[in-house]
Amino acid sequence: MKINLHSLQLKLMVMVIAIVAVSNIALAIVADRLSTATVTETVHQLMEAVTDSAAGKVKGEVEKTIRMTDAVAAIDFVRDSNVSLLEKCERLRALAKVSEDYENVSFYDNRGNSFTAGGAPICFPERLYIKEALKGERYQMDPAVSPATGVFLQQYSTPVYDLDDPSKIIGVAVTNLYGETLSKKLADIHFGNQSDIYVISRKTGKLVAAKDVQRVYEEKPVTETADASLKPILDGLMTGATNGGAFVDPNTGIKMTAAYRSVPGMEWSVLGVTAYDDFYAKLFSMLRIMITILCIILIVAFVVSGFTVSHSIKPLQTVKSAITDIATGDADLTRRIKSSSKDEIGDVVKGFNEFSGKLQNIIGDVKGSKDELMVAGENLSGATQDTSSSITEIIANIDSMKRQIDNQNQSVSQTAGAVNEIASNIESLERMIESQSSGVTQ
């Protein structure tokens, strides 16, 4: 079937489909932007809530251990200078059994001497948590492998004041927390299929806690090993700010979304990350469904508009055929086009029918006039023949009169010659008379 690219039907169908397509695409774009904005805001709020919850949990665990250490530092036998270092360590060792999170609870004198959980003597006068506590400050270390036991630990220290002289620091109470304890506390925080929570020290850039505790064991500054796309996020985290962003995981190539905030009162920050698709996959799925629906709508619109337009303009096609017949001279002016349409096309058909009726009347009048003209023509032809005969007769009469005139003209000429001859004779006679008269006189 040959398609006329200039046909009204095709133009109307294209227009209808274009309107449907543009309107649906506009709706899809608006819906996508609104949905994306809504999901983004929801994700932002969720990530803030998750990181806030994680920061609160970390803060709570740290404060619990600090309170434990403060309680140890306040025990009388720990503060009593008369109790030996070994006795203090042995008695405190039993306190570590109150929780499986603790490796040991111990006491260090002001020279850094103490005993391990196994009873081995140790001396760490240069360890930072000992030095800071001896200055009268609480201190907490980032998780690290203990040089004495080879166990991954985190130390919390509190100064111990003498029982008899509360202004005098006689040593340090230390709680050894297993280094993976905070990581275990974070393991039950889930906010996506591929989510992770990290606690990062802003002083060292190292991981303090993570769901994957093996990464904490590496003790590598994440700020130095981070991918270029993650570095801006870590740079913001290291300032202690609260914010977020997106990056691509260099190992998997998966787009991730992140949020971070500081742990209140500490030089740690919490970083929460999850796969972008964990939240936006349904949005993308909805967009694909919308595109599919749009395609279906376009197909339905094409079929419906094609049928509707074809049915609507069918009377116009009949009008076109009728006009073509009129142009070729083969039209049946008695035929009328049937149309039940009440729209503009129906008006066109009605007008054409009226035009055909008037044209039929005109052609009928012309046909009647033709018959009359034929009769008049025949009469005129007869009159013309009579006139022609009369003219021929007149011409013959004129020719006869001409011949008569010519004859008369010749007679006149002859008469004139005779008159001239007579006049000449008279003149001769006159001369003769004069001559004779003069002779008589003499």
Side-chain angles (χ1 to χ4, degrees):
M1 179 179 178
K2 186 177 180 180
I3 299 176
N4 184 2
L5 299 179
H6 301 286
S7 68
L8 177 61
Q9 180 178 358
L10 181 61
K11 291 178 181 178
L12 290 174
M13 289 175 63
V14 170
M15 181 182 69
V16 171
I17 293 173
I19 292 173
V20 173
V22 170
S23 59
N24 279 274
I25 290 173
L27 288 174
I29 292 174
V30 171
D32 177 61
R33 290 186 177 179
L34 290 177
S35 300
T36 302
T38 302
V39 172
T40 300
E41 180 63 22
T42 302
V43 170
H44 179 69
Q45 293 175 357
L46 175 62
M47 296 293 285
E48 281 192 344
V50 168
T51 54
D52 183 61
S53 174
K57 181 171 287 192
V58 170
K59 178 69 174 177
E61 291 297 322
V62 170
E63 288 180 343
K64 183 177 74 172
T65 306
I66 290 175
R67 287 195 300 269
M68 170 71 174
T69 310
D70 288 347
V72 170
I75 298 174
D76 287 346
F77 77 83
V78 176
R79 299 176 61 194
D80 191 346
S81 299
N82 297 320
V83 179
S84 68
L85 177 63
L86 180 59
E87 181 181 355
K88 289 179 180 180
C89 289
E90 288 178 345
R91 294 177 66 179
L92 289 175
R93 197 175 302 143
L95 293 177
K97 297 179 181 179
V98 300
S99 173
E100 60 182 10
D101 295 336
Y102 301 133
E103 186 268 345
N104 190 26
V105 177
S106 61
F107 173 81
Y108 288 76
D109 64 20
N110 51 16
R111 291 186 298 275
N113 297 307
S114 185
F115 291 89
T116 65
I122 53 176
C123 183
F124 295 136
E126 298 302 320
R127 296 301 296 268
L128 193 58
Y129 63 91
I130 301 295
K131 293 172 66 174
E132 291 298 320
L134 289 174
K135 292 178 183 179
E137 300 290 337
R138 293 190 186 95
Y139 197 81
Q140 64 190 51
M141 291 286 290
D142 292 343
V145 176
S146 171
T149 62
V151 179
F152 195 66
L153 300 173
Q154 183 185 14
Q155 285 87 9
Y156 292 79
S157 62
T158 298
V160 176
Y161 293 92
D162 186 72
L163 184 62
D164 298 325
D165 183 5
S167 63
K168 180 183 178 182
I169 297 176
I170 62 171
V172 178
V174 177
T175 300
N176 291 341
L177 189 71
Y178 283 111
E180 63 271 14
T181 300
L182 288 178
S183 297
K184 290 179 179 179
K185 303 298 181 182
L186 298 177
D188 60 347
I189 298 178
H190 298 283
F191 54 99
N193 296 328
Q194 304 177 62
S195 61
D196 276 307
I197 289 285
Y198 303 97
V199 179
I200 302 173
S201 171
R202 297 197 299 274
K203 289 191 300 182
T204 63
K206 295 180 180 180
L207 285 177
V208 175
K211 285 186 175 183
D212 183 4
V213 71
Q214 293 298 325
R215 300 190 64 179
V216 183
Y217 292 158
E218 293 174 0
E219 297 189 68
K220 295 179 181 179
V222 293
T223 52
E224 296 178 5
T225 60
D227 182 74
S229 63
L230 178 59
K231 194 166 181 58
I233 295 175
L234 292 178
D235 290 341
L237 179 146
M238 296 300 286
T239 65
T242 299
N243 208 334
F247 67 98
V248 177
D249 189 329
N251 298 320
T252 62
I254 297 175
K255 185 177 181 181
M256 310 291 287
T257 183
Y260 54 84
R261 68 168 55 245
S262 62
V263 179
M266 302 176 64
E267 294 187 352
W268 292 351
S269 286
V270 174
L271 172 66
V273 299
T274 188
Y276 197 82
D277 286 347
D278 285 352
F279 298 102
Y280 291 92
K282 291 185 178 180
L283 183 62
F284 296 148
S285 177
M286 183 189 72
L287 186 58
R288 287 193 293 270
I289 292 173
M290 291 177 65
I291 293 174
T292 303
I293 293 174
L294 174 60
C295 293
I296 294 173
I297 290 175
L298 288 178
I299 294 172
V300 172
F302 179 80
V303 174
V304 173
S305 62
F307 174 77
T308 303
V309 172
S310 178
H311 179 73
S312 297
I313 69 171
K314 188 175 181 181
L316 287 182
Q317 294 174 339
T318 306
V319 171
K320 174 190 172 184
S321 299
I323 292 175
T324 302
D325 291 342
I326 291 173
T328 58
D330 297 329
D332 180 6
L333 297 179
T334 62
R335 188 178 58 141
R336 298 293 181 265
I337 300 173
K338 295 181 180 180
S339 176
S340 59
S341 300
K342 303 298 182 182
D343 53 14
E344 288 80 359
I345 294 178
D347 293 340
V348 171
V349 173
K350 181 180 177 182
F352 177 78
N353 287 335
E354 292 177 354
F355 167 75
S356 297
K358 291 182 179 179
L359 186 60
Q360 180 184 5
N361 294 332
I362 292 172
I363 297 300
D365 293 341
V366 169
K367 185 177 180 181
S369 299
K370 174 186 173 184
D371 294 339
E372 293 177 359
L373 287 174
M374 287 181 64
V375 173
E378 291 176 355
N379 295 333
L380 181 61
S381 177
T384 300
Q385 291 178 357
D386 294 340
T387 302
S388 176
S389 299
S390 300
I391 291 173
T392 301
E393 185 177 351
I394 291 171
I395 291 173
N397 294 331
I398 291 173
D399 288 339
S400 175
M401 290 177 66
K402 180 180 179 184
R403 286 193 297 270
Q404 292 177 4
I405 291 171
D406 288 339
N407 292 330
Q408 290 177 0
N409 188 32
Q410 290 177 1
S411 298
V412 170
S413 296
Q414 291 175 0
T415 303
V419 171
N420 288 332
E421 185 178 355
I422 292 171
S424 175
N425 292 329
I426 291 172
E427 287 178 357
S428 296
L429 179 60
E430 183 179 1
R431 283 194 299 269
M432 289 176 61
I433 293 173
E434 286 178 354
S435 175
Q436 290 177 3
S437 177
S438 65
V440 171
T441 304
Q442 291 177 0

